[in-house]
Amino acid sequence: MRSAASARDDIKAALVATRQIRAWADAQEAALIVQLGKVESFCEPTIADAGKCSQGKANQAKERAETLDATPLLADALADGAITSGHVDAL
């Protein structure tokens, strides 16, 4: 029979993995937004439509993408799951 501490540790590890996957996905999204910005000058409506989000969230995603594009080490840290998109947004 597993102990509560063992179960807690397994659940915590799964939560960490989920955070890392989310950070990786955010990094991929940012890279795609940078590519989109190269072919569409005002790409926020496309971001909002594709992401099923508000224009405000699309603006935030574009700003995050621009920040990551300008700071490759930060982009790598997000892709590796070492930081979250919240850390990037705080800059």
Side-chain angles (χ1 to χ4, degrees), residues 29-30 32-51 53-55 57-59 61-63 65-66:
E29 178 185 57
L32 290 168
I33 290 170
V34 167
Q35 290 178 19
L36 179 62
K38 291 177 182 178
V39 297
E40 185 176 0
S41 61
F42 182 63
C43 60
E44 289 86 341
T46 301
I47 296 166
D49 184 48
C53 66
S54 68
Q55 187 71 34
K57 290 288 184 185
N59 291 338
K62 185 173 183 211
E63 289 175 11
E66 290 169 349

Side-chain angles (χ1 to χ4, degrees), residues 1-2 7-8 11-13 23 25 29 32-34 39 45-46 48 56 61-62 68 75 79-80 82 87-88 91:
M1 179 183 264
R2 293 182 47 182
R8 183 195 67 232
I11 294 167
K12 181 180 177 183
E29 178 185 57
L32 290 168
I33 290 170
V34 167
V39 297
T46 301
K62 185 173 183 211
L68 292 169
D80 291 342
H87 292 109
V88 178
L91 297 176

Side-chain angles (χ1 to χ4, degrees), residues 8-24:
R8 183 195 67 232
D9 290 346
D10 289 347
I11 294 167
K12 181 180 177 183
L15 287 168
V16 168
T18 301
R19 175 188 49 80
Q20 291 170 328
I21 292 166
R22 189 176 297 116
W24 176 85

